[in-house]
Amino acid sequence: MKRTVFCLLLLMSALPLLAQTHARMMLWDSHERHPLIWQVEFDGADSLLATYDAIYGHGPMLENDTYALRVYAQPWPRIDLYGKSGLKGLELPETAFYTTPQQLAQGYGADALYVGPSIGVGSLLPWDGNKSIPFSPVERRGQRVVYSTADSCAVEVYVKGFQFQGQSIDLVQRLSMRRGDDWTQVDAWITGSKPDSLTFCTGIQRMQQDLGHLTSDGKAETWGSNAPEKDFNVGVRLYFEIDKRYIVRQLDAEMSTLYIVRARKGHLRYRVKATTTLWKRQTN
């Protein structure tokens, strides 16, 4: 009996370490309580800046044991990267993308990528034939945590009544992670009169300090450094894969490797992955 109780206590103490996926979304709060929420939706006529600032961290987040992502809650729902430096266990409950200097000294990761106007880590944006455009105007826009467990998690961003290429469409984009799999799967469902005729763009960012990039048959890889904090040198490697049946064409933009894509039967699917080498402060 004593051995059984001891084993159970060991198992219970290890449960936080066994969790390898996690998703969260929090409301911004001036009193810094930032309560956890599952879903938020805004009228399309609301201030776009208010939509972005209403969520702490500016969007829903999800992580596995290697990296974390967040999707900005804005008309350009670009995907940002949080890199980890080797600690075991989940970090978003502690840092929520905003690592303190003390946490950084303890080995926590941090925001590893300046996304800016690039495609980020597999963002999905409307394509007007020459450039990406925002999801605007829309009737409604929202974000939600679909589920969050120790083994899998998913978040969604969506728009309703988006006016695009002569159609009014609804689009749901879901990012999902699974325990034991470093890849993040991205699914998009599009409903409209002719959803498969619409063009979108996705892909991965090229680094400001570009050390290389490869593309072939729906696969892309870029590596280098483009840290948001310029006194840090963070090595980042991004991976992207998509079934070539979705691809209209591939092109190299100034800050991104892009794929122009169309849905099949109202559905798009691809996947992304990231690795980081953290975390060195640059010295003069």
Side-chain angles (χ1 to χ4, degrees):
M1 177 62 72
K2 289 183 178 180
R3 181 176 297 177
T4 301
V5 172
F6 180 68
C7 290
L8 285 173
L9 289 174
L10 282 178
L11 179 60
M12 292 174 65
S13 65
L15 283 176
L17 298 177
L18 296 176
Q20 290 187 349
T21 65
H22 173 72
R24 64 172 36 215
M25 187 166 61
M26 297 170 287
L27 280 179
W28 184 86
D29 176 18
S30 61
H31 299 288
E32 298 188 358
R33 291 169 295 196
H34 309 307
L36 291 170
I37 57 172
W38 284 95
Q39 182 170 1
V40 63
E41 186 173 287
F42 300 91
D43 189 290
D46 286 346
S47 165
L48 300 180
L49 183 60
T51 304
Y52 177 76
D53 286 340
I55 302 174
Y56 182 75
H58 306 304
M61 308 172 185
L62 73 169
E63 72 172 311
N64 59 28
D65 60 342
T66 306
Y67 61 93
L69 301 173
R70 64 175 163 184
V71 190
Y72 285 118
Q74 55 181 189
W76 283 274
R78 294 186 174 95
I79 301 174
D80 193 15
L81 171 67
Y82 176 102
K84 297 187 178 183
S85 60
L87 285 183
K88 299 299 181 182
L90 302 175
E91 298 188 17
L92 288 184
E94 301 296 329
T95 67
F97 253 83
Y98 296 117
T99 312
T100 66
Q102 294 77 14
Q103 289 171 328
L104 200 63
Q106 294 167 7
Y108 283 87
D111 188 353
L113 198 65
Y114 170 68
V115 173
S118 79
I119 201 67
V121 190
S123 312
L124 182 68
L125 298 172
W127 181 258
D128 72 355
N130 297 297
K131 63 184 183 303
S132 63
I133 61 173
F135 284 96
S136 181
V138 300
E139 295 176 3
R140 308 285 292 174
R141 69 177 77 248
Q143 304 81 35
R144 72 187 188 109
V145 175
V146 185
Y147 53 85
S148 179
T149 73
D151 296 319
S152 60
C153 63
V155 301
E156 287 181 350
V157 297
Y158 60 89
V159 291
K160 300 176 181 178
F162 171 45
Q163 306 302 313
F164 181 45
Q165 295 180 352
Q167 298 184 47
S168 178
I169 67 168
D170 296 347
L171 185 145
V172 178
Q173 181 182 1
R174 176 182 292 187
L175 282 69
S176 55
M177 290 178 168
R178 286 186 169 277
R179 180 187 182 97
D181 185 353
D182 288 341
W183 289 93
T184 299
Q185 180 172 296
V186 183
D187 288 279
W189 295 274
I190 307 157
T191 57
S193 58
K194 295 181 180 179
D196 293 358
S197 69
L198 303 172
T199 54
F200 297 85
C201 66
T202 184
I204 47 176
Q205 180 189 107
R206 288 189 177 182
M207 307 300 152
Q208 184 179 41
Q209 298 178 31
D210 185 5
L211 300 182
H213 46 269
L214 296 170
T215 57
S216 65
D217 296 329
K219 297 181 181 180
E221 185 178 344
T222 63
W223 60 96
S225 180
N226 192 15
E229 300 294 336
K230 297 308 177 184
D231 59 342
F232 284 102
N233 182 16
V234 187
V236 174
R237 202 173 195 107
L238 303 178
Y239 305 82
F240 177 92
E241 290 188 0
I242 187 170
D243 191 313
K244 56 187 178 183
R245 294 178 301 169
Y246 296 117
I247 300 172
V248 177
R249 63 189 174 104
Q250 184 261 324
L251 61 92
D252 295 326
E254 181 179 358
M255 296 181 65
S256 308
T257 294
L258 290 180
Y259 290 89
I260 311 307
V261 297
R262 287 195 180 104
R264 293 175 64 87
K265 297 182 179 179
H267 178 240
L268 273 166
R269 173 174 288 175
Y270 54 92
R271 61 181 193 165
V272 295
K273 182 171 68 170
T275 60
T276 52
T277 304
L278 293 173
W279 204 260
K280 295 181 180 179
R281 185 181 293 274
Q282 296 176 349
T283 57
N284 296 326

